[in-house]
Every structure is written in structure tokens, then in C-alpha cells.
Amino acid sequence: SSSTTLIDSSDGMGRSIQKSFWKDLSTVNITNGLSWSKTFTTPGSNPVTHWVQNDIGCVSPEIPVAIDVYPSPAVNFPSVPEVCQDHPPFTLSATPVAGVFSGTGITSAGLFTPLIASDTNMIVYSVTGTNGCMGRDSQQVVVWPSPVADAGPPVSAVPAGNSLTLTGTASNGFPPFIYQWDPSSLITGPSTNPVAIVTLTKDTLFRFLVTDSRGCKGADSIKVVLLLTLKIPNAFTPNGDFVNDT
């Protein structure tokens, strides 16, 4: 729809204008006032006539005014599924293709990045037709916050072969959470508990993955560094083979 207002700027030629008439020929409705407004919902030509009356009763000829209403482009912007904040950037689509996107977290070409968007985002797609008229459509895009995984601080100086407990935690997101430690083959017992027991023979980097009830994911890692064991030789063989030579 489009609203149009016409304003009377008639010259009374030395006399004062007492009345200003407007006739909408589509409804044959006559109104009196210094301005005339109408909201048009369909394209096409909308004829209006205007005349005035001065203070001594003289009436001017009716002046035709043609109001042409042009169609706006028909825009279709399909709904967008809810996404997690950790979802990689993706491109939205709408028709006709010559339009421009606007809103939080989206480029004009339609590349949407959930990580920099807010929880609920109003995305607008606008298209300007060849006649200069603009059409637009909008969608709300909901971005769910991803859980924050914490695998704990780095661990060092652990004697090889000793058991160690890793304690992971999760915040943010929507519980209940699903947990996973990797590499799972080094976990004693289930690798799906937030608390894991490990026995290592070498330095190892563990990854702690959390998935919430909406399928959103968060991850953290922890490195376990073993205590170096010094090997003290009990023999002295100075034969130049670099083994127990000193």
C-alpha cells in the first residue's frame, strides 16, 4: 500500500479562498479541506479533481489530477530454521535475486554468520524494481547460544603409568548435556562422563566435546604432560659408542 497527500496551493487572485474541494472519481466522494489523503492498495491510475471557492462565492473550474500508483516487486523471503551459534556461516536466499539483505550478522549478499548475530535477528530483504518502487520481506532468525566446554587447566609433571582424573564442565547452552572425551581409547571406563580417568605412557592432548539438548556444540582441550624420568646408568663403558661413555 502507498499513501498520497495532495495540498491546496491555490491563488485567490486578491480574494481569500474559503473552501477547497476534492473529488475522488473512483468513489465519487467529495471532501472539503486544504489537503486530501488516500492510501492506495492496488496499482493503477487514480483520477482526482480539485476546485476552490473564494469569499464571494466564485468557484474555480475543476482541475484534474492523475495519481499513478506503480506496483512494488513481489518479494519472497522463505523462513529460516533455528540455528546454533557454532553453526558455520551460510547464505540465505530470496526472490527476486536482485535484492539486498540487511540486519545483524548478515552481509548485503546474504551471508549469515550466527556467531556474530544476536539471539533473535530480524533480517530484511529489499528489492527495488525498474519503476523505482521497493518491495521487501522479512524473517526472524533465531540463534541458540552454544554451550561452553571447559576441560580444565593443563596438567604437567604426571608420573608415567599413574592414574589421573580429568574433570570437564559445561555452561551456557540448554541442558541436559552429552559429553565426549577423545581419544576415547585412553579413557578408563565410559568416555561419555564429564569426569574421566586416564593412565598414560606419553604426553597426550585430550579433546572435551559438549552437546546440549538443542544439538549445539562446544569444545575444549587439555594437554597432559608426563614427568620426565631420568635414567642413571650403572656401568661405565668408554668405548666411543656414545652409550655410558661418560
Side-chain angles (χ1 to χ4, degrees):
S1 62
S2 177
S3 179
T4 299
T5 299
L6 302 179
I7 298 176
D8 184 8
S9 58
S10 301
D11 183 357
M13 304 298 291
R15 311 297 306 189
S16 63
I17 302 296
Q18 295 296 306
K19 294 181 179 180
S20 181
F21 297 100
W22 310 85
K23 181 192 292 185
D24 184 347
L25 297 184
S26 63
T27 61
V28 199
N29 183 38
I30 299 176
T31 57
N32 177 27
L34 294 178
S35 63
W36 176 89
S37 296
K38 182 177 180 179
T39 299
F40 300 96
T41 57
T42 57
S45 180
N46 299 267
V48 176
T49 59
H50 175 235
W51 69 97
V52 295
Q53 178 179 320
N54 65 15
D55 55 347
I56 58 174
C58 296
V59 177
S60 70
E62 292 188 28
I63 304 298
V65 180
I67 302 174
D68 294 324
V69 178
Y70 297 102
S72 297
V75 178
N76 179 32
F77 182 11
S79 60
V80 181
E82 299 171 352
V83 295
C84 298
Q85 194 176 33
D86 61 287
H87 194 289
F90 60 98
T91 300
L92 304 183
S93 61
T95 56
V97 296
V100 174
F101 290 92
S102 60
T104 303
I106 194 167
T107 66
S108 59
L111 183 64
F112 183 70
T113 304
L115 185 61
I116 62 175
S118 55
D119 293 341
T120 302
N121 309 271
M122 180 62 69
I123 305 299
V124 179
Y125 183 68
S126 305
V127 179
T128 301
T130 56
N131 55 16
C133 297
M134 177 177 290
R136 62 181 60 190
D137 194 6
S138 61
Q139 293 290 348
Q140 276 195 344
V141 182
V142 176
V143 177
W144 297 119
S146 295
V148 177
D150 184 0
V155 179
S156 59
V158 177
N162 284 21
S163 294
L164 173 69
T165 299
L166 303 178
T167 302
T169 59
S171 59
N172 212 17
F174 295 87
F177 299 109
I178 298 174
Y179 307 96
Q180 177 64 48
W181 286 96
D182 287 311
S184 58
S185 59
L186 300 180
I187 305 296
T188 302
S191 61
T192 54
N193 290 334
V195 178
I197 299 175
V198 298
T199 303
L200 303 176
T201 59
K202 63 179 181 179
D203 297 352
T204 305
L205 181 67
F206 286 93
R207 186 170 184 264
F208 180 57
L209 177 65
V210 176
T211 305
D212 72 4
S213 60
R214 297 185 184 275
C216 300
K217 301 179 186 297
D220 192 20
S221 61
I222 179 173
K223 187 173 184 179
V224 179
V225 180
L226 300 186
L227 179 67
L228 292 177
T229 302
L230 294 178
K231 182 180 179 181
I232 302 176
N234 57 8
F236 177 58
T237 58
N239 56 5
D241 64 355
F242 300 102
V243 177
N244 300 333
D245 282 345
T246 57

